[in-house]
Amino acid sequence: MKKFSKVLCCILGLGFLLTGCATVGNIKNDNKELIYNGNSAVMVDGHLYYGNAFADYSSFSSDSDYKKSAQLAYLARLNTNVELSAKTEDYSPKNVEKVAEEVVGQSKNFMFVLGNYIYYATPNRQRIKGDDGKSKHYFNYTALYRSKLNGDGKQKIYTTAGEISDIQVLKYENKYYVVMLAGTDLVKIQLGNDTKTTVVAKDVKSVAIPKTKRDGVASSTYDWNGYVYFTVDNKDEDNSDISGSIVKRVLISSKDEEKLATWSNGTTVSFIGREKDQLFFTMSGHETEVFTADVSDHSETIKNFDTNTKFYSASTISNISLIATEVREYGYVFTTSSGALAYGTKAGKCGAITLKNGDDTISSFKVLFIKDRTVFLSTTSGIYSADLSAVFNDNATTVSCTTIVTMTSIYDGTLYAYDGTYIYYYAKLEEVKTDESKEDDKSDTKTETDDNYYLYRTKVSKSSSADAGKAYELLGLTKIKSRRTK
């Protein structure tokens, strides 16, 4: 009997080693489609998955730095179906769960759920041999993981050989793909019970990938032509006089690429954005103009990318987003090279937008996301919304912004999530009076703070005076024990 027990224990132990042990309780995902709320968090049946805190991988010099940061910037989960059990909005709530001890809160974060799997990006921990033949860390490269929703079966599904400049999740012909430009590699990963990774093209200079579908956002869609467009250098080893760009496309369900346009006179073309099947690009020789190409006709092969399709007068633009409702597409908003917000309508009108908060002009902002005709943006001290209806209906150039939340130090970047009610973002701890100091107004006793950015949430629409009193709520579990709810 004892011998049988020992054998059984060995079998069970081996099973745990092979499959892993669940870190948190399992939940059921009834959503059959992709769930994507933004790059910092994802909501599944009221359970929020997120990077607990933010880690700056540029400061990592060794794997021990990664491991240390993973103790705070791990993949966390919080059940929001029940009221958060927190002392106040300035204290970490109880019941923050750790799903995986990996550095998930980081500037290259990307997170989504499909079926019973959660997918998330982390800084690469593998040492890679450089051009000098020496092996070293490239934490700015990315490792993409997935696990079951309870943390079981964690596996690394891909490690990039370069820094990611664009990554999206696309659906085409009822199949899902992660598509990314990592360094100069155009990569696709077909998702399912098993994953299949293909390097579609190498030495890629620029790419035009549709944006990931978000529920309730009219400007995002699963309806696209199935092609990813990219550029490579036009070169001939036997003729050094040949230079310029080649525009190609590849059907996401295939690996066969097709040439669309070629320049051999030194003209270079670079894609700078895509909204649905509208491509945006720049061209050398036209340094103050941005152009566009419509590729929505599935049967039409675009033979040229010419200068008769001018979109905007600028050296370049970025963060191009479609402004649309369920019944109409109005145009686009984007950021100019000077950091200003600008617009272009479907009718061809365009211009800069001045964002006002009272008598002050909002500058040095980051656009977080667009919903219908409203743009949400952040600065290091606040998150704001701006209704752009008057811009597209009446060509207004000045827009008053609504303040959603103000704080002492908000992360200066584009990490966000939005579930239709709350915006999730990173910020440092606010300094507040302790319970003891409230009893004596003359006391200067304050709560402890640190230099970490933790995940917070703020409600977009304050529907009551009670909501107004809770401009934000701390969700991350702090390193400082005194800022946790006992």
Side-chain angles (χ1 to χ4, degrees), residues 183-476:
T184 58
D185 290 346
L186 178 58
V187 181
K188 72 173 182 180
I189 305 173
Q190 185 173 328
L191 306 179
N193 291 331
D194 297 314
T195 62
K196 180 182 179 182
T197 301
T198 305
V199 178
V200 176
K202 301 185 75 68
D203 299 322
V204 174
K205 297 299 182 180
S206 67
V207 69
I209 311 173
K211 289 182 180 176
T212 303
K213 175 74 169 67
R214 289 191 292 131
D215 284 343
V217 179
S219 60
S220 67
T221 180
Y222 287 131
D223 183 18
W224 63 297
N225 68 3
Y227 286 96
V228 174
Y229 297 77
F230 61 98
T231 63
V232 297
D233 287 339
N234 184 17
K235 55 186 178 181
D236 187 337
E237 294 181 357
D238 298 324
N239 188 349
S240 59
D241 292 334
I242 293 179
S243 63
S245 291
I246 301 175
V247 175
K248 298 183 177 183
R249 72 176 185 178
V250 60
L251 190 64
I252 194 64
S253 58
S254 172
K255 62 179 181 180
D256 297 327
E257 59 186 47
E258 176 184 2
K259 285 186 181 181
L260 300 181
T262 302
W263 291 265
S264 58
N265 59 353
T267 299
T268 58
V269 172
S270 296
F271 290 118
I272 58 172
R274 177 171 178 171
E275 286 295 306
K276 296 185 177 180
D277 287 336
Q278 198 75 24
L279 315 183
F280 300 86
F281 63 95
T282 58
M283 183 181 294
S284 63
H286 302 270
E287 277 70 21
T288 60
E289 295 174 307
V290 174
F291 305 97
T292 184
D294 186 348
V295 294
S296 57
D297 187 344
H298 293 221
S299 64
E300 176 69 15
T301 299
I302 302 301
K303 294 298 183 183
N304 54 21
F305 288 77
D306 57 38
T307 57
N308 295 322
T309 57
K310 178 181 172 182
F311 174 71
Y312 192 73
S313 296
S315 57
T316 189
I317 58 178
S318 58
N319 303 316
I320 305 167
S321 297
L322 176 64
I323 298 294
T325 62
E326 294 293 343
V327 296
R328 179 182 172 188
E329 293 185 0
Y330 291 85
Y332 305 90
V333 293
F334 46 90
T335 306
T336 66
S337 56
S338 63
L341 192 69
Y343 74 97
T345 69
K346 287 287 187 176
K349 294 183 179 180
C350 56
I353 302 171
T354 300
L355 300 169
K356 303 290 287 187
N357 183 31
D359 295 329
D360 298 326
T361 298
I362 297 178
S363 59
S364 301
F365 58 84
K366 298 289 193 306
V367 174
L368 297 180
F369 63 99
I370 307 286
K371 187 179 187 304
D372 300 333
R373 286 173 289 183
T374 300
V375 57
F376 294 86
L377 48 98
S378 71
T379 67
T380 56
S381 60
I383 296 177
Y384 309 88
S385 64
D387 185 345
L388 302 184
S389 298
V391 172
F392 290 92
N393 291 337
D394 306 317
N395 298 317
T397 57
T398 300
V399 176
S400 295
C401 295
T402 299
T403 300
I404 297 175
V405 66
T406 57
M407 295 184 71
T408 302
S409 183
I410 295 174
Y411 171 69
D412 186 19
T414 55
L415 291 177
Y416 84 94
Y418 175 60
D419 64 6
T421 302
Y422 292 96
I423 296 175
Y424 301 88
Y425 62 99
Y426 288 97
K428 290 186 177 181
L429 297 174
E430 293 291 296
E431 193 174 70
V432 294
K433 288 186 176 183
T434 64
D435 290 341
E436 291 77 12
S437 65
K438 290 177 182 178
E439 297 173 2
D440 181 2
D441 291 338
K442 296 180 181 180
S443 172
D444 290 327
T445 305
K446 301 288 182 68
T447 53
E448 292 182 86
T449 60
D450 60 24
D451 286 330
N452 293 302
Y453 289 91
Y454 296 97
L455 194 80
Y456 283 78
R457 74 177 183 181
T458 182
K459 186 173 285 188
V460 171
S461 300
K462 311 297 190 294
S463 59
S464 66
S465 57
D467 285 336
K470 287 189 174 183
Y472 59 79
E473 290 178 291
L474 173 62
L475 301 183

